[in-house]
Amino acid sequence: MMVMEKILLFHLLSLALLGAVVEATRSDDRLIKISQLKMFVDELPDMPKILGFDVVNGVPVSKSLQIGMFSKKWKFHRDLPPTRVFAYGTSNNTATVPGPTIEALYGVDTYVTWRNYLPSKHILPWDPTIPTAIPATKKGVPTVVHLHGGIDEPQSDGNANSWFTRGFRERGPTWTQKKYHYYNIQQPGNMWYHDHAMGLTRVNLLVGLIGAYIIRHPDIESPLGLPHGKEFDRPLVVFDRSFRTDGSIYMNRTGNNPSIHPQWQPEYFGDAIIVNGKAWPRLTVRRRKYRFRIINASNARFFEFFFTNGLRFIHVGSDSSYNKRPVMIKKILLAPSEIVDVIVDFSESKSDSAILANGAAYPYPSGDPVNKFNGNVMKFIIKRQREVDTSRVPKRLIKYPSPDLSNAAATRYIAMYEYTSPTDEPTHLFLNGKPYEAPATETPKEGTSEIWNVINLTADNHPLHIHLGLFVVLEQRKLVDVEKFKECMLKINNAVKCQISKYARGNITAVPAHEQGWKNVFKMTPGYVTKILVRFAYIHSNASYPFDASAEPGYVYHCHILDHEDNAMMRPLKPVVFPVTISNKAEAQSRRWDTVLYCYALDRFAEGLWALQPVHQNRVGLVLDAAIEGELRLRHLQVADATRASLGLPVLEYIVTDTPLLVEKWVDPKSGQSTGRIKHPDSLPRAVQTLVNRTKGIDDLAGVEAVISHLVVKEFQIPCAHAPALSPFPLSLSLCPKSAAKEIGYTFLLCVLAGLSNAPQYVVKNSESLEKGCILASDVDSVILPMDACEGDGALAFARSKKDKMQPLIITVEENETVLNDTPEKYGIEVVKVANY
């Protein structure tokens, strides 16, 4: 009986498998013959626009938007039946693929509530064997929106586990809020929004959840004179799709390793090229300059754009930032999720039409060559009559600060791995050999820069996208003896221990001129180490963020080939900020005024109104003898001289001072009369407090700027303290921009300004027990005290009574351990190395 049951079960399974094969065959049979779709018959759509701001009495103000995700039919081609899609829009009737272009204004907040109106089942097959957002009820399509290129709070970044279903009925483990806040205070440029749900990104984008987002800054963009206006400045959202004869989007339902992943495939490629929702569209243009913001919204396809009639591109921007100057090029290689901002001058055309073509192999770089269909993108029909064109392309665009390697806070190695089955088919991909769920290892300090060496140990070119941070590509160097290095990396996953320097010494591939600016995506060449400098602050102002970037759920970085990202080439990115510690109330009050003055001075310095003079401030003579003090001072100055270039400040002669601000006079805001000069060298906060008390109605931080604005400053010197114990008092954003607060580092006083944010620090160690101690800050130096002495005003008295038992202690971050490599030996000082300090 058991034998008969087994035979019956075998036949049932065989029939099921046969049915699956027949269904797959039928699906393949229903795939439309691409030759049946004629190219260049549909007009290029101009996607609807939504302003991310309102204007009240002529003044732009913040705006709240409601944008939904709807299931509807969309016509991709004249000869295709309508296709079921998921589309963004303010209503089902107005929803489009791609979604509406959101136009934001620099400095004006945009709020968006993204609403899910999608059905209970997905249009496309999805694979639960990869990390995937799956509702507990198994009903509903999980979605979450990421503004690609946006510099915004973690709660509004679209974390993959912050997904939600229709009506927010079910929500992912890191879901936080319905309304997203986009600050729009980054540099002007081009972005796009798209779905980012865990394990479903590839399928949710395939069915249409994409759209463009532009931040405009008229004050600095209008003088450039670039083409503008609805007709002459247009986003082009480009992607590839395949269709069945009934118009539905085709996606292979069988994976490369069906026994491991029933559906997941390493890359999706479609036969038809879609621009703004139409397959191979056409656009009639005048003989003049046009601006095109081209977004590659494909899952995996690279595009190498060129014009068949020889027209050239004037490249003015990459991703979300401008170039410092325009670059003339014939071809542009664009990876998935990259954005290129170009000017095309159709008056230069010698023909009446021009075809925008594609020459990129798929998969890139060593896959199949393009054919007639995926090798064409769209057609431009050029009017014959010439006309006056008032637009121009200036020789200089927008120059942002250059990358400064000397000020990098950390150096990291990011390795890219692809794992295969016994049949040599991909099973999954990892960054740094770790799944997404593993604890974050990339924890940059907010307001700093880091050097990342991205090691591509796969055969594919992976477009690496970093949320929050912008980066500059410094070098692309080929690995030698790559298989031997890869063998070591697969064993121990440690680039340093595998002697990366021994292998990263091949030829250098130059970074193209048009990609040498700030980017948020770059193509990581296989078999190469690509060195990038990542900046975790605003590049146009060198300011830090007006939000807490260390909050949950954090950020991510990942490969933007969506099939790779879903399985599971994505890692968490968790910025950290310097902790704020106040030891006692009196000290908090004193430090409040210090901080206000420093922030105000920093703002004036940034505006070019004040000159700053560097200061080396050291008051440890009571503890360290003169020889040790002099040696440590020399070490600090050596570090400062090496890092001050990050601020563009010259190396000047340092002076020792205890007075951070020398006030020439104080102008009474009521009488307009000036008082005498403030001469108290050690009590400037007290002097400012006196001024505040003299001004009625000003009793706290809210009125301090009004007081300070009446100080005529003769000389502002940069104090650089050594003690790492205490951070400045939290600041009012209305008084002192958080950019300034973070620029002073949330570290001790203004060490960042003097280029010493990563310099060695020293405190005084209590010989009794470091492990049981704590750090208590005075104005400059610190002591380590037993825990029971770390509260209240009695701590300072305790410190004085114990000073004869205290020993010098040097704390140094790992990146600077060589700076003090001989000092400890010479003076017998204990050294503590601190990572991520």
Side-chain angles (χ1 to χ4, degrees):
M1 188 67 180
M2 290 293 294
V3 175
M4 290 299 296
E5 287 180 352
K6 289 182 178 179
I7 293 174
L8 180 60
L9 178 61
F10 173 78
H11 283 296
L12 289 173
L13 289 172
S14 298
L15 287 171
L17 289 173
L18 179 61
V21 171
V22 169
E23 175 61 25
T25 303
R26 287 175 180 171
S27 296
D28 289 340
D29 287 343
R30 293 202 306 268
L31 186 65
I32 195 169
K33 292 182 179 179
I34 198 68
S35 59
Q36 295 177 359
L37 301 180
K38 189 174 180 180
M39 291 186 284
F40 316 133
V41 295
D42 289 293
E43 292 292 332
L44 175 77
D46 189 14
M47 310 319 296
K49 291 179 174 58
I50 298 178
L51 294 182
F53 59 94
D54 281 324
V55 178
V56 178
N57 297 325
V59 178
V61 297
S62 177
K63 185 176 184 178
S64 292
L65 304 175
Q66 300 270 344
I67 299 179
M69 293 157 262
F70 301 92
S71 177
K72 65 177 301 181
K73 292 290 186 74
W74 182 260
K75 189 94 166 156
F76 280 101
H77 188 275
R78 181 192 67 185
D79 299 327
L80 264 178
T83 302
R84 176 63 62 181
V85 297
F86 294 162
Y88 288 116
T90 54
S91 68
N92 189 287
N93 289 336
T94 61
T96 54
V97 177
T101 299
I102 301 174
E103 295 200 356
L105 194 62
Y106 176 84
V108 182
D109 303 73
T110 298
Y111 296 87
V112 181
T113 300
W114 301 98
R115 296 195 173 276
N116 185 332
Y117 297 104
L118 300 177
S120 60
K121 292 185 179 180
H122 208 289
I123 296 171
L124 295 177
W126 53 274
D127 195 329
T129 64
I130 64 176
T132 303
I134 303 177
T137 61
K138 305 297 190 297
K139 294 180 180 180
V141 177
T143 64
V144 64
V145 181
H146 168 55
L147 178 55
H148 179 110
I151 300 179
D152 296 298
E153 61 187 14
Q155 302 91 327
S156 300
D157 188 60
N159 184 274
N161 279 319
S162 296
W163 52 267
F164 54 96
T165 60
R166 184 184 181 102
F168 300 100
R169 291 169 187 166
E170 292 196 61
R171 296 169 288 191
T174 65
W175 186 89
T176 55
Q177 60 195 31
K178 294 180 180 180
K179 183 183 290 188
Y180 279 19
H181 182 186
Y182 301 126
Y183 288 81
N184 301 325
I185 56 175
Q186 64 195 75
Q187 72 290 340
N190 307 302
M191 298 180 286
W192 63 302
Y193 59 94
H194 61 77
D195 185 80
H196 210 259
M198 178 67 72
L200 299 173
T201 304
R202 71 197 189 287
V203 292
N204 284 353
L205 268 67
L206 274 178
V207 293
L209 294 180
I210 54 179
Y213 190 109
I214 300 172
I215 294 181
R216 299 188 184 273
H217 195 332
D219 290 347
I220 65 172
E221 291 185 284
S222 295
L224 298 177
L226 299 173
H228 64 279
K230 181 179 179 180
E231 181 179 356
F232 307 117
D233 180 1
R234 304 186 65 163
L236 301 179
V237 183
V238 187
F239 50 91
D240 57 336
R241 297 290 184 270
S242 288
F243 301 96
R244 294 188 177 90
T245 53
D246 63 359
S248 62
I249 295 173
Y250 170 77
M251 184 179 188
N252 196 325
R253 297 177 180 271
T254 305
N256 288 33
N257 289 292
S259 63
I260 301 172
H261 300 305
Q263 185 279 322
W264 180 81
Q265 292 187 324
E267 289 97 12
Y268 174 91
F269 297 107
D271 296 322
I273 306 301
I274 315 295
V275 185
N276 287 5
K278 293 294 182 181
W280 308 289
R282 67 187 181 199
L283 176 65
T284 300
V285 295
R286 305 182 191 183
R287 285 192 175 270
R288 54 154 292 158
K289 290 183 285 293
Y290 282 72
R291 181 177 185 175
F292 298 111
R293 306 166 189 257
I294 308 176
I295 302 170
N296 182 354
S298 298
N299 280 34
R301 185 181 292 278
F302 284 63
F303 287 100
E304 184 183 54
F305 293 117
F306 65 95
F307 283 105
T308 55
N309 69 341
L311 272 177
R312 295 184 295 177
F313 305 96
I314 306 173
H315 190 289
V316 298
S318 282
D319 296 333
S320 58
S321 71
Y322 278 88
N323 299 348
K324 62 182 178 181
R325 62 176 58 91
V327 180
M328 187 81 74
I329 48 178
K330 289 185 176 180
K331 294 183 178 181
I332 298 175
L333 181 65
L334 212 60
S337 82
E338 280 191 303
I339 303 175
V340 63
D341 198 336
V342 296
I343 310 297
V344 179
D345 190 349
F346 291 104
S347 69
E348 298 290 331
S349 176
K350 296 180 180 179
S351 59
D352 294 336
S353 67
I355 293 175
L356 181 63
N358 166 42
Y362 61 104
Y364 189 84
S366 56
D368 296 329
V370 296
N371 56 39
K372 174 183 176 182
F373 302 100
N374 54 43
N376 283 294
V377 179
M378 66 176 293
K379 183 177 184 178
F380 295 92
I381 301 170
I382 308 168
K383 293 183 178 180
R384 293 187 176 184
Q385 183 179 356
R386 293 185 178 272
E387 60 181 70
V388 176
D389 183 1
T390 58
S391 67
R392 64 189 183 94
V393 181
K395 292 182 179 180
R396 296 185 180 278
L397 296 166
I398 301 176
K399 184 179 180 180
Y400 297 114
S402 300
D404 182 9
L405 276 67
S406 65
N407 200 38
T411 297
R412 304 184 189 274
Y413 293 92
I414 310 295
M416 295 177 160
Y417 298 95
E418 180 178 75
Y419 304 89
T420 59
S421 67
T423 59
D424 202 33
E425 287 288 346
T427 57
H428 61 288
L429 301 97
F430 279 168
L431 291 168
N432 279 344
K434 299 178 185 297
Y436 175 76
E437 296 77 16
T441 51
E442 283 61 58
T443 54
K445 292 178 187 175
E446 184 180 338
T448 66
S449 297
E450 295 188 347
I451 294 175
W452 288 19
N453 295 285
V454 185
I455 308 164
N456 189 348
L457 298 175
T458 78
D460 292 328
N461 190 310
H462 298 283
L464 181 69
H465 174 46
I466 302 176
H467 289 213
L468 184 69
L470 288 172
F471 59 85
V472 171
V473 183
L474 304 173
E475 179 184 271
Q476 300 175 97
R477 185 179 290 273
K478 187 174 179 61
L479 290 165
V480 300
D481 205 357
V482 64
E483 290 302 320
K484 186 175 180 180
F485 176 67
K486 182 177 178 180
E487 181 181 355
C488 177
M489 289 291 287
L490 287 171
K491 289 180 180 178
I492 64 174
N493 190 35
N494 188 306
V496 175
K497 291 183 178 179
C498 286
Q499 299 179 291
I500 179 67
S501 59
K502 178 181 176 182
Y503 299 95
R505 52 186 178 85
N507 295 333
I508 294 177
T509 298
V511 180
H514 63 281
E515 294 191 290
Q516 292 177 4
W518 292 94
K519 293 178 61 63
N520 58 59
V521 182
F522 190 73
K523 302 167 282 290
M524 300 299 163
T525 306
Y528 274 71
V529 178
T530 302
K531 179 185 290 187
I532 62 177
L533 183 132
V534 193
R535 181 71 176 147
F536 294 100
Y538 293 108
I539 61 167
H540 66 300
S541 61
N542 202 31
S544 203
Y545 312 121
F547 49 83
D548 183 4
S550 67
E552 294 297 335
Y555 302 90
V556 295
Y557 67 97
H558 58 87
C559 171
H560 220 291
I561 292 177
L562 302 182
D563 314 273
H564 296 177
E565 174 187 347
D566 278 353
N567 186 28
M569 211 172 185
M570 180 167 66
R571 289 285 295 141
L573 177 72
K574 291 292 183 70
V576 297
V577 298
F578 295 91
V580 176
T581 306
I582 302 297
S583 62
N584 60 64
K585 192 171 182 179
E587 184 173 355
Q589 181 70 12
S590 173
R591 200 155 300 284
R592 171 185 299 192
W593 301 117
D594 272 341
T595 301
V596 169
L597 286 171
Y598 297 150
C599 282
Y600 188 79
L602 176 61
D603 288 343
R604 303 296 78 74
F605 167 65
E607 294 170 5
L609 300 179
W610 287 7
L612 303 187
Q613 183 174 5
V615 173
H616 178 70
Q617 190 176 36
N618 190 334
R619 294 187 291 179
V620 296
L622 294 177
V623 179
L624 302 178
D625 61 37
I628 297 179
E629 182 178 348
E631 183 75 15
L632 290 173
R633 179 179 300 169
L634 175 62
R635 295 298 181 204
H636 280 280
L637 295 182
Q638 288 174 343
V639 175
D641 290 344
T643 58
R644 281 178 56 79
S646 64
L647 294 172
L649 298 176
V651 176
L652 302 174
E653 181 179 355
Y654 287 79
I655 60 175
V656 177
T657 180
D658 292 335
T659 306
L661 187 64
L662 188 59
V663 178
E664 178 74 11
K665 58 184 176 179
W666 148 251
V667 181
D668 191 300
K670 291 186 176 181
S671 65
Q673 300 296 315
S674 62
T675 67
R677 179 172 167 181
I678 298 175
K679 296 182 178 180
H680 200 301
D682 298 319
S683 304
L684 186 58
R686 205 176 315 154
V688 173
Q689 179 68 68
T690 301
L691 297 178
V692 172
N693 291 338
R694 286 180 54 191
T695 308
K696 293 183 178 180
I698 300 177
D699 55 3
D700 207 340
L701 289 178
V704 175
E705 184 164 5
V707 173
I708 297 177
S709 64
H710 295 278
L711 294 177
V712 179
V713 177
K714 180 178 181 181
E715 183 180 74
F716 179 78
Q717 300 168 326
I718 303 175
C720 182
H722 302 153
L726 189 67
S727 301
F729 192 82
L731 303 172
S732 164
L733 298 186
S734 62
L735 168 66
C736 179
K738 196 170 183 182
S739 61
K742 293 299 181 62
E743 199 53 44
I744 64 175
Y746 281 143
T747 184
F748 195 84
L749 299 180
L750 288 183
C751 284
V752 171
L753 277 181
L756 291 173
S757 60
N758 292 319
Q761 309 285 325
Y762 66 89
V763 296
V764 179
K765 178 187 176 185
N766 182 351
S767 59
E768 293 180 2
S769 174
L770 174 62
E771 293 182 358
K772 295 181 180 180
C774 65
I775 297 177
L776 178 71
S778 64
D779 281 343
V780 175
D781 305 304
S782 299
V783 293
I784 293 181
L785 304 174
M787 291 300 294
D788 58 3
C790 285
E791 297 181 1
D793 295 333
L796 289 176
F798 181 88
R800 295 189 184 98
S801 69
K802 296 290 185 179
K803 69 179 181 180
D804 57 330
K805 296 182 179 181
M806 295 179 183
Q807 304 291 328
L809 168 70
I810 293 176
I811 300 178
T812 175
V813 295
E814 293 177 352
E815 290 83 354
N816 290 312
E817 62 178 302
T818 57
V819 176
L820 292 173
N821 58 2
D822 60 340
T823 304
E825 296 177 4
K826 187 178 297 184
Y827 296 105
I829 299 175
E830 184 177 351
V831 175
V832 176
K833 286 188 291 185
V834 181
N836 293 326
Y837 173 73

